[in-house]
Every structure is written in structure tokens, then in C-alpha cells.
Amino acid sequence: NLLAANLTTQVRAIAEVATAVTKGDLTRSIQVDARGEVAELKDNLNTMISNLRDTTESNREQDWLKTNLAKFGSMLQGQRELSTVGQILLSELTPLVQAYQGTIYHLDSGEQNTKLKLLSSYAHAGGRLVETIELGEGLAGQCAVEKKSILLTDVPPDFVTISSSLGQATRVSIVVLPVLFEGQTKAVIELATLQPFSPVNLAFLDQLTLSLGAVFNTIEATMRTEG
């Protein structure tokens, strides 16, 4: 009777979790004590649930990434003013990746004295907001020269002198992204958040900047033609 009662308890626990999984609840796992073949069955089912949970989360992240890339592509399609692109980008992008401040600097390669010029800012609350940045100056200037993303996590406000108003909170994470077209820097985007950027957010930002390069290049070419 004791053996039968234990087996009944184990089977019920397994059935309960299995039923929850079929209804879409992937947070559950089988916790009942078991031995022998029942223990092996329990471990295999828990591994299956864990793998299914990881796959589901990965698919959800990929859907989020593709949906938002398409959304930004649609929003920026046909835009003819860089200032409008800057405003749209920051107003939509900053809250999407859970940042609290952002800036975009544009690099006009058509000028003799090439500098980064402030194109747009988000949630800037006073203090120092640099209008122009020399190449190699601060994080944005260095990003423009190296053409590589810069990621800083858990940064104290006095750790590094950065190029804009970002980093005024006690502890922040900062990402600086180059917008490139055919290997040339077109702009630099800075974002600051109060928590580390998630891997899917960083992957989204990297893919977004790849498409933004073509947008900036097209608008620049149109402006030169009109000029």
C-alpha cells in the first residue's frame, strides 16, 4: 500500500506539470521525490520543459526583434529631413530598449572640418549637452573613429567624461553605436539606462544601425542634390 501510494503521488505530480505545460505554462517543473525509472522519467521531462522554455523565449525574442526592425523601417521610409529622422528615432527607440536618455550626433563628411553635430536628444534635463564633438573626443568621438560599438555597464557618474548628458544618474549602463554606410560613419547614437541592456536589445540596436546607415546616406544625397 505504501509503495502504491508513493507511485500514485509521483504520477499525479508528473501529470499535473504535464497538463500545465500543454496549456502553455512553462514555468513549472516536477519537484516530487522519486527513484529508479520514475526519477529518470522526471529528469527527462524537466529537461524537456527547460529546453521548450528556452526555445519559446528565443522565438519570442526573434519575433520582437523582427517586428521592431520592420516597424522602424516603415517609420523612416521616405523621410527627407535628418532632424525628423533623429526625433523619430529617439522618441521611439529610447523607451523601446528601456533607456532613459539618448542623443544622436550626425557626422557631415561633406564639410572640411569634420565634426559630430548634435542632431537630436531625448529626455535631456539641463546640464552639459555638447553641440559639436571632435573626432576621437569622448565616447561618441571615439566610436565615430573606431566604427565600433562601446558598451559600459554599472558606470559611476565620475568614471568617464562622456560626450553628452548621459550618465547623470548614480549608476548607469551606456551604449554608443556607430551608424555606418559602406564603412563610413554617418552618425553616432548614445543611450543610457538604469539597468544593463539585455542581449536582445543589443542585438536589435546592432541590426537597426546597419539599416540606418542607408537612410542617412539617402537623405544626405537628396539634400546635396537639392542644394
Side-chain angles (χ1 to χ4, degrees):
N1 289 337
L2 180 60
L3 290 173
N6 287 339
L7 182 59
T8 300
T9 300
Q10 295 164 359
V11 171
R12 283 177 177 173
I14 293 173
E16 181 184 354
V17 174
T19 301
V21 170
T22 60
K23 294 180 179 179
D25 183 2
L26 300 177
T27 63
R28 304 284 296 276
S29 63
I30 304 168
Q31 303 293 335
V32 69
D33 291 331
R35 294 180 182 179
E37 294 178 345
V38 177
E40 185 177 352
L41 174 62
K42 164 193 165 183
D43 293 340
N44 288 338
L45 285 173
N46 281 338
T47 300
M48 181 189 70
I49 294 170
S50 177
N51 292 338
L52 183 59
R53 181 167 55 244
D54 292 342
T55 300
T56 301
E57 181 62 25
S58 177
N59 290 338
R60 184 182 297 115
E61 290 178 350
Q62 288 301 313
D63 289 343
W64 179 90
L65 193 150
K66 293 177 182 178
T67 298
N68 283 291
L69 285 174
K71 172 185 174 183
F72 275 85
S74 177
M75 283 192 302
L76 299 177
Q77 187 176 12
Q79 294 294 334
R80 299 172 62 88
E81 296 290 338
L82 288 175
S83 58
T84 303
V85 170
Q87 292 170 1
I88 292 174
L89 270 176
L90 287 185
S91 63
E92 296 289 338
L93 179 61
T94 309
L96 180 65
V97 296
Q98 298 180 333
Y100 77 99
Q101 279 187 336
T103 54
I104 297 179
Y105 287 89
H106 175 235
L107 182 65
D108 191 347
S109 57
E111 297 184 356
Q112 285 186 335
N113 187 16
T114 305
K115 295 182 180 180
L116 288 166
K117 294 184 178 180
L118 181 66
L119 183 63
S120 183
S121 64
Y122 179 91
H124 174 63
R128 185 173 65 90
L129 184 60
V130 179
E131 295 290 335
T132 60
I133 301 172
E134 299 283 349
L135 295 182
E137 177 187 357
L139 292 182
Q142 192 64 29
C143 177
V145 171
E146 293 185 356
K147 303 172 185 176
K148 296 179 180 179
S149 300
I150 299 173
L151 177 64
L152 301 176
T153 58
D154 198 26
V155 180
D158 57 350
F159 177 75
V160 63
T161 302
I162 57 178
S163 59
S164 71
S165 60
L166 306 185
Q168 295 300 311
T170 304
R171 294 276 175 174
V172 297
S173 293
I174 298 168
V175 64
V176 188
L177 303 143
V179 177
L180 305 176
F181 181 77
E182 295 183 347
Q184 299 299 314
T185 302
K186 293 296 181 179
V188 173
I189 301 175
E190 292 181 318
L191 296 168
T193 181
L194 298 177
Q195 66 279 329
F197 289 95
S198 67
V200 67
N201 281 344
L202 292 175
F204 168 72
L205 290 171
D206 285 339
Q207 293 191 38
L208 178 64
T209 52
L210 288 175
S211 61
L212 287 178
V215 174
F216 273 78
N217 184 72
T218 299
I219 295 176
E220 288 174 358
T222 301
M223 292 172 64
R224 285 194 295 269
T225 301
E226 291 178 348

